[in-house]
Amino acid sequence: MTDLLTARGLVAGFGAQTVLHGVDLDVPAGQVTGIFGLNGAGKSVLLKVVAGVVPTRSGSITLDGTEIARLSAERRVALGMAHVPQGRQMFRSLTVEQNLRVGAHVLRRRERTAYADELERVFALFPLLAERRRQMAGTLSGGQQAMLAVGRALISRPRIVLIDEPSAGLAPAVVEELLESLLRIREQGLTMLLVEQNIRFGLRLADTACLLQRGRIVYSGSTADLDSDQLASYLGVGRLLRRDLDVGLGRQSAPKKAPAARRPRARS
């Protein structure tokens, strides 16, 4: 399978601190590549380096054969890259539709009809956004803002979307709803590079897993080939969290909630 995005020997950090130590990354076209690791492993930094938000000290990044490591974030967007940052970063004083219009700024004037088509496509993926198109983004719930952030990235018709911690801070039911939307997007063949701390969420979405430890990739391969014991060892999780790994890998069903116990009727 052809790789849409590749990185070789990425070194990056802040000041005297080096966070990434020669990272190699391959993102196959039409698939979801997940980056997993403990807190502080460098996951979000790696995504920001690919997006052009954090500069590269050394190494190369290519998007469909074009070297982009020295290009600005804006130039990368023009080449077909979209970024959903951690925390969503909405324009709180703008409406839902105005936020989406901001995401479509890379579409040329002659593509105004394309904007209308893309707007309808986003609304079809996230019907709730259509219902709230004139509502201020700052008044949306966390889950609604997560959907708006993804929709804002999709409306520019990107070739690859970088998504940083989409499930962070969301209630379980909202996480499930967001996952279903992202799975539908994956079925459409859009390439995604995902950073996710919620391992069950991330493994259910990703086709390929990259495990990051202290700024180095220690495993890269199909999620179908992952061994949960090996994965638990890499991620340093205990026995209680191994069930999440098995559920994420599709080898165990999510536990159903036990029915609430009936209270005995008081005798008259």
Side-chain angles (χ1 to χ4, degrees):
M1 183 170 292
T2 304
D3 293 325
L4 179 62
L5 183 137
T6 61
R8 292 292 179 266
L10 286 184
V11 177
F14 306 98
Q17 180 185 13
T18 300
V19 178
L20 303 181
H21 304 270
V23 169
D24 293 341
L25 179 68
D26 297 301
V27 182
Q31 291 194 0
V32 179
T33 299
I35 303 172
F36 306 104
L38 298 174
N39 286 333
K43 305 183 299 296
S44 290
V45 173
L46 175 56
L47 205 70
K48 290 174 181 176
V49 168
V50 174
V53 178
V54 172
T56 307
R57 291 181 179 174
S58 63
S60 66
I61 307 171
T62 60
L63 178 59
D64 198 18
T66 300
E67 174 60 47
I68 64 172
R70 301 293 178 264
L71 297 183
S72 66
E74 291 76 13
R75 286 286 297 131
R76 299 183 200 200
V77 169
L79 289 173
M81 180 179 289
H83 183 207
V84 181
Q86 190 174 15
R88 270 79 80 173
Q89 298 182 14
M90 295 291 93
F91 293 97
R92 299 177 61 83
S93 62
L94 299 182
T95 66
V96 166
E97 187 168 350
Q98 287 170 336
N99 269 273
L100 293 174
R101 189 177 293 275
V102 169
H105 75 280
V106 297
L107 296 176
R108 299 174 184 175
R109 290 183 179 179
R110 64 182 177 83
E111 294 177 308
R112 287 176 180 172
T113 56
Y115 165 73
D117 292 341
E118 294 306 311
L119 183 64
E120 292 307 312
R121 185 170 70 91
V122 169
F123 284 158
L125 281 168
F126 302 107
L128 189 131
L129 296 183
E131 297 172 9
R132 299 174 182 267
R133 62 194 300 167
R134 292 179 177 84
Q135 183 173 332
M136 295 298 175
T139 65
L140 298 176
S141 68
Q144 294 161 1
Q145 288 188 7
M147 294 175 189
L148 178 55
V150 174
R152 186 178 60 182
L154 294 178
I155 204 166
S156 64
R157 296 192 301 182
R159 302 168 69 190
I160 182 171
V161 177
L162 317 181
I163 309 179
D164 195 355
E165 300 277 11
S167 74
L170 302 182
V174 178
V175 168
E176 193 66 24
E177 186 178 356
L178 178 62
L179 175 63
E180 292 301 321
S181 298
L182 291 175
L183 286 171
R184 290 195 298 271
I185 295 169
R186 184 182 72 172
E187 290 173 359
Q188 297 175 2
L190 179 63
T191 307
M192 288 186 269
L193 181 59
L194 169 77
V195 163
E196 182 54 66
Q197 192 68 28
N198 183 333
I199 194 69
R200 181 189 293 189
F201 177 98
L203 288 175
R204 289 173 64 189
L205 182 60
D207 301 290
T208 301
C210 296
L211 306 184
L212 198 62
Q213 275 188 349
R214 298 178 180 178
R216 293 180 172 86
I217 298 289
V218 295
Y219 173 89
S220 180
S222 170
T223 54
D225 297 332
L226 270 173
D227 176 83
S228 58
D229 289 333
Q230 179 188 32
L231 182 57
S233 176
Y234 279 131
L235 297 178
V237 301
R239 183 181 301 174
L240 292 177
L241 289 180
R242 292 196 181 200
R243 176 179 294 179
D244 280 349
L245 302 184
D246 287 328
V247 171
L249 292 170
R251 294 164 193 166
Q252 182 176 326
S253 299
K256 295 182 179 179
K257 291 184 179 180
R262 293 185 179 179
R263 294 182 179 180
R265 292 183 179 178
R267 295 183 179 180
S268 59

